[in-house]
Short mmCIF file of all heavy atoms in Angstrom, two decimals:
data_model
loop_
_atom_site.label_atom_id
_atom_site.label_comp_id
_atom_site.label_asym_id
_atom_site.label_seq_id
_atom_site.Cartn_x
_atom_site.Cartn_y
_atom_site.Cartn_z
N ALA Y 1116 0.83 -1.20 0.00
CA ALA Y 1116 0.00 0.00 0.00
C ALA Y 1116 0.87 1.25 0.00
O ALA Y 1116 0.60 2.21 -0.75
CB ALA Y 1116 -0.94 -0.01 1.20
N SER Y 1117 1.92 1.25 0.80
CA SER Y 1117 2.82 2.41 0.87
C SER Y 1117 3.53 2.62 -0.47
O SER Y 1117 3.63 3.75 -0.96
CB SER Y 1117 3.84 2.19 1.99
OG SER Y 1117 4.77 3.26 2.00
N MET Y 1118 4.01 1.52 -1.08
CA MET Y 1118 4.70 1.64 -2.38
C MET Y 1118 3.74 2.12 -3.46
O MET Y 1118 4.10 2.97 -4.29
CB MET Y 1118 5.33 0.30 -2.77
CG MET Y 1118 6.56 -0.03 -1.94
SD MET Y 1118 7.48 -1.54 -2.35
CE MET Y 1118 6.55 -2.41 -3.50
N ASP Y 1119 2.51 1.58 -3.45
CA ASP Y 1119 1.52 2.02 -4.44
C ASP Y 1119 1.24 3.51 -4.31
O ASP Y 1119 1.16 4.24 -5.30
CB ASP Y 1119 0.22 1.23 -4.30
CG ASP Y 1119 0.34 -0.21 -4.79
OD1 ASP Y 1119 1.33 -0.52 -5.49
OD2 ASP Y 1119 -0.57 -1.02 -4.48
N GLU Y 1120 1.08 3.95 -3.06
CA GLU Y 1120 0.81 5.36 -2.80
C GLU Y 1120 1.97 6.23 -3.27
O GLU Y 1120 1.78 7.24 -3.95
CB GLU Y 1120 0.57 5.55 -1.30
CG GLU Y 1120 0.25 6.97 -0.90
CD GLU Y 1120 0.07 7.08 0.61
OE1 GLU Y 1120 -0.58 6.20 1.20
OE2 GLU Y 1120 0.62 8.05 1.17
N LYS Y 1121 3.19 5.80 -2.94
CA LYS Y 1121 4.37 6.59 -3.33
C LYS Y 1121 4.59 6.55 -4.85
O LYS Y 1121 4.97 7.55 -5.45
CB LYS Y 1121 5.60 6.09 -2.58
CG LYS Y 1121 5.53 6.46 -1.11
CD LYS Y 1121 6.74 6.06 -0.34
CE LYS Y 1121 6.53 6.47 1.12
NZ LYS Y 1121 7.67 6.26 1.93
N LEU Y 1122 4.32 5.40 -5.46
CA LEU Y 1122 4.45 5.31 -6.93
C LEU Y 1122 3.42 6.21 -7.61
O LEU Y 1122 3.75 6.90 -8.59
CB LEU Y 1122 4.26 3.87 -7.41
CG LEU Y 1122 5.49 2.96 -7.30
CD1 LEU Y 1122 5.10 1.53 -7.65
CD2 LEU Y 1122 6.59 3.44 -8.22
N SER Y 1123 2.19 6.21 -7.11
CA SER Y 1123 1.16 7.07 -7.70
C SER Y 1123 1.55 8.54 -7.57
O SER Y 1123 1.39 9.31 -8.52
CB SER Y 1123 -0.19 6.84 -7.02
OG SER Y 1123 -0.65 5.54 -7.29
N ALA Y 1124 2.04 8.92 -6.41
CA ALA Y 1124 2.47 10.31 -6.21
C ALA Y 1124 3.63 10.65 -7.13
O ALA Y 1124 3.67 11.72 -7.74
CB ALA Y 1124 2.86 10.53 -4.74
N SER Y 1125 4.57 9.73 -7.26
CA SER Y 1125 5.72 9.95 -8.14
C SER Y 1125 5.27 10.07 -9.59
O SER Y 1125 5.74 10.94 -10.33
CB SER Y 1125 6.72 8.80 -8.00
OG SER Y 1125 7.78 8.94 -8.91
N GLU Y 1126 4.36 9.19 -10.02
CA GLU Y 1126 3.84 9.26 -11.38
C GLU Y 1126 3.13 10.59 -11.63
O GLU Y 1126 3.29 11.20 -12.69
CB GLU Y 1126 2.88 8.11 -11.65
CG GLU Y 1126 3.56 6.77 -11.80
CD GLU Y 1126 2.56 5.62 -11.91
OE1 GLU Y 1126 1.35 5.84 -11.74
OE2 GLU Y 1126 3.02 4.49 -12.17
N ALA Y 1127 2.37 11.05 -10.65
CA ALA Y 1127 1.66 12.32 -10.80
C ALA Y 1127 2.64 13.48 -10.94
O ALA Y 1127 2.47 14.36 -11.79
CB ALA Y 1127 0.73 12.55 -9.61
N ARG Y 1128 3.70 13.46 -10.11
CA ARG Y 1128 4.71 14.52 -10.19
C ARG Y 1128 5.44 14.47 -11.54
O ARG Y 1128 5.68 15.50 -12.18
CB ARG Y 1128 5.72 14.41 -9.05
CG ARG Y 1128 5.17 14.82 -7.68
CD ARG Y 1128 6.27 14.93 -6.63
NE ARG Y 1128 7.10 13.76 -6.52
CZ ARG Y 1128 6.86 12.68 -5.75
NH1 ARG Y 1128 5.75 12.65 -5.03
NH2 ARG Y 1128 7.69 11.67 -5.71
N MET Y 1129 5.79 13.28 -12.00
CA MET Y 1129 6.49 13.12 -13.28
C MET Y 1129 5.59 13.57 -14.43
O MET Y 1129 6.05 14.25 -15.35
CB MET Y 1129 6.93 11.66 -13.48
CG MET Y 1129 8.12 11.25 -12.64
SD MET Y 1129 9.57 12.26 -12.94
CE MET Y 1129 9.95 11.81 -14.62
N THR Y 1130 4.32 13.20 -14.39
CA THR Y 1130 3.39 13.60 -15.45
C THR Y 1130 3.26 15.12 -15.49
O THR Y 1130 3.31 15.73 -16.56
CB THR Y 1130 2.01 12.94 -15.23
OG1 THR Y 1130 2.17 11.52 -15.24
CG2 THR Y 1130 1.02 13.35 -16.31
N ALA Y 1131 3.12 15.73 -14.32
CA ALA Y 1131 3.00 17.19 -14.26
C ALA Y 1131 4.27 17.85 -14.80
O ALA Y 1131 4.21 18.81 -15.57
CB ALA Y 1131 2.72 17.64 -12.83
N SER Y 1132 5.41 17.33 -14.40
CA SER Y 1132 6.69 17.88 -14.87
C SER Y 1132 6.85 17.71 -16.37
O SER Y 1132 7.27 18.63 -17.08
CB SER Y 1132 7.85 17.18 -14.14
OG SER Y 1132 9.09 17.63 -14.63
N MET Y 1133 6.50 16.53 -16.88
CA MET Y 1133 6.61 16.28 -18.32
C MET Y 1133 5.65 17.17 -19.10
O MET Y 1133 6.02 17.72 -20.14
CB MET Y 1133 6.35 14.80 -18.62
CG MET Y 1133 7.51 13.91 -18.19
SD MET Y 1133 7.23 12.11 -18.27
CE MET Y 1133 6.11 11.87 -19.57
N ASP Y 1134 4.42 17.33 -18.59
CA ASP Y 1134 3.45 18.19 -19.27
C ASP Y 1134 3.95 19.63 -19.33
O ASP Y 1134 3.83 20.30 -20.36
CB ASP Y 1134 2.09 18.15 -18.56
CG ASP Y 1134 1.35 16.83 -18.78
OD1 ASP Y 1134 1.76 16.07 -19.69
OD2 ASP Y 1134 0.38 16.57 -18.05
N GLU Y 1135 4.51 20.08 -18.23
CA GLU Y 1135 5.03 21.45 -18.16
C GLU Y 1135 6.18 21.64 -19.15
O GLU Y 1135 6.22 22.61 -19.91
CB GLU Y 1135 5.51 21.73 -16.73
CG GLU Y 1135 6.07 23.12 -16.51
CD GLU Y 1135 6.55 23.30 -15.09
OE1 GLU Y 1135 5.83 22.88 -14.16
OE2 GLU Y 1135 7.65 23.85 -14.92
N LYS Y 1136 7.10 20.69 -19.16
CA LYS Y 1136 8.25 20.79 -20.07
C LYS Y 1136 7.82 20.65 -21.53
O LYS Y 1136 8.34 21.33 -22.41
CB LYS Y 1136 9.30 19.75 -19.71
CG LYS Y 1136 10.00 20.09 -18.41
CD LYS Y 1136 11.06 19.11 -18.03
CE LYS Y 1136 11.68 19.54 -16.69
NZ LYS Y 1136 12.72 18.65 -16.26
N LEU Y 1137 6.84 19.79 -21.79
CA LEU Y 1137 6.33 19.63 -23.15
C LEU Y 1137 5.65 20.90 -23.62
O LEU Y 1137 5.86 21.34 -24.76
CB LEU Y 1137 5.35 18.44 -23.20
CG LEU Y 1137 4.78 18.09 -24.56
CD1 LEU Y 1137 5.90 17.68 -25.51
CD2 LEU Y 1137 3.78 16.97 -24.44
N SER Y 1138 4.87 21.52 -22.77
CA SER Y 1138 4.20 22.78 -23.13
C SER Y 1138 5.23 23.87 -23.43
O SER Y 1138 5.09 24.62 -24.40
CB SER Y 1138 3.27 23.25 -22.01
OG SER Y 1138 2.20 22.34 -21.86
N ALA Y 1139 6.26 23.95 -22.59
CA ALA Y 1139 7.30 24.94 -22.82
C ALA Y 1139 8.03 24.67 -24.13
O ALA Y 1139 8.32 25.59 -24.90
CB ALA Y 1139 8.29 24.95 -21.64
N SER Y 1140 8.30 23.41 -24.40
CA SER Y 1140 8.97 23.04 -25.65
C SER Y 1140 8.11 23.38 -26.86
O SER Y 1140 8.60 23.91 -27.86
CB SER Y 1140 9.30 21.54 -25.64
OG SER Y 1140 9.87 21.15 -26.87
N GLU Y 1141 6.82 23.08 -26.78
CA GLU Y 1141 5.91 23.41 -27.88
C GLU Y 1141 5.86 24.92 -28.11
O GLU Y 1141 5.84 25.38 -29.25
CB GLU Y 1141 4.51 22.87 -27.58
CG GLU Y 1141 4.39 21.37 -27.71
CD GLU Y 1141 3.02 20.85 -27.26
OE1 GLU Y 1141 2.27 21.60 -26.59
OE2 GLU Y 1141 2.73 19.68 -27.56
N ALA Y 1142 5.84 25.69 -27.04
CA ALA Y 1142 5.80 27.15 -27.17
C ALA Y 1142 7.08 27.66 -27.85
O ALA Y 1142 7.01 28.53 -28.73
CB ALA Y 1142 5.63 27.80 -25.79
N ARG Y 1143 8.23 27.12 -27.43
CA ARG Y 1143 9.49 27.53 -28.06
C ARG Y 1143 9.50 27.15 -29.54
O ARG Y 1143 9.92 27.94 -30.40
CB ARG Y 1143 10.69 26.91 -27.34
CG ARG Y 1143 10.98 27.50 -25.99
CD ARG Y 1143 12.32 27.03 -25.43
NE ARG Y 1143 12.51 25.60 -25.44
CZ ARG Y 1143 12.12 24.76 -24.49
NH1 ARG Y 1143 11.49 25.23 -23.42
NH2 ARG Y 1143 12.36 23.46 -24.57
N LEU Y 1144 9.04 25.96 -29.85
CA LEU Y 1144 9.01 25.49 -31.24
C LEU Y 1144 8.07 26.36 -32.08
O LEU Y 1144 8.40 26.75 -33.20
CB LEU Y 1144 8.57 24.03 -31.29
CG LEU Y 1144 8.53 23.40 -32.67
CD1 LEU Y 1144 9.91 23.40 -33.32
CD2 LEU Y 1144 8.01 21.98 -32.58
N LYS Y 1145 6.89 26.68 -31.54
CA LYS Y 1145 5.93 27.52 -32.27
C LYS Y 1145 6.53 28.89 -32.53
O LYS Y 1145 6.41 29.42 -33.64
CB LYS Y 1145 4.63 27.64 -31.48
CG LYS Y 1145 3.56 28.41 -32.23
CD LYS Y 1145 2.29 28.54 -31.42
CE LYS Y 1145 1.18 29.26 -32.11
NZ LYS Y 1145 1.52 30.38 -32.94
N THR Y 1146 7.20 29.47 -31.55
CA THR Y 1146 7.83 30.77 -31.72
C THR Y 1146 8.89 30.71 -32.82
O THR Y 1146 8.95 31.57 -33.69
CB THR Y 1146 8.46 31.24 -30.39
OG1 THR Y 1146 7.43 31.33 -29.40
CG2 THR Y 1146 9.13 32.58 -30.54
N CYS Y 1147 9.69 29.66 -32.78
CA CYS Y 1147 10.76 29.49 -33.77
C CYS Y 1147 10.16 29.33 -35.17
O CYS Y 1147 10.63 29.96 -36.13
CB CYS Y 1147 11.62 28.28 -33.40
SG CYS Y 1147 12.99 28.00 -34.53
N VAL Y 1148 9.15 28.50 -35.30
CA VAL Y 1148 8.50 28.28 -36.60
C VAL Y 1148 7.87 29.58 -37.10
O VAL Y 1148 8.01 29.94 -38.28
CB VAL Y 1148 7.46 27.14 -36.52
CG1 VAL Y 1148 6.59 27.11 -37.75
CG2 VAL Y 1148 8.16 25.82 -36.32
N ASP Y 1149 7.19 30.31 -36.22
CA ASP Y 1149 6.57 31.58 -36.61
C ASP Y 1149 7.61 32.56 -37.11
O ASP Y 1149 7.40 33.27 -38.11
CB ASP Y 1149 5.78 32.19 -35.45
CG ASP Y 1149 4.50 31.42 -35.14
OD1 ASP Y 1149 4.09 30.59 -35.97
OD2 ASP Y 1149 3.93 31.65 -34.06
#
């Protein structure tokens, strides 16, 4: 139960971090293309 809880929290943090970095990357790419 503890590992599942910690894994879920870790996955949530990683997903949030990846989404943030992906959005920033897309914004930079769009600016460059424009």
Side-chain angles (χ1 to χ4, degrees):
S1117 176
M1118 287 184 351
D1119 287 345
E1120 181 182 317
K1121 289 183 181 186
L1122 278 173
S1123 293
S1125 175
E1126 287 174 353
R1128 288 190 307 273
M1129 285 302 294
T1130 301
S1132 176
M1133 287 171 30
D1134 287 346
E1135 180 182 316
K1136 289 181 181 181
L1137 183 62
S1138 294
S1140 176
E1141 287 174 345
R1143 287 190 309 274
L1144 181 61
K1145 184 181 181 323
T1146 300
C1147 182
V1148 168
D1149 288 347

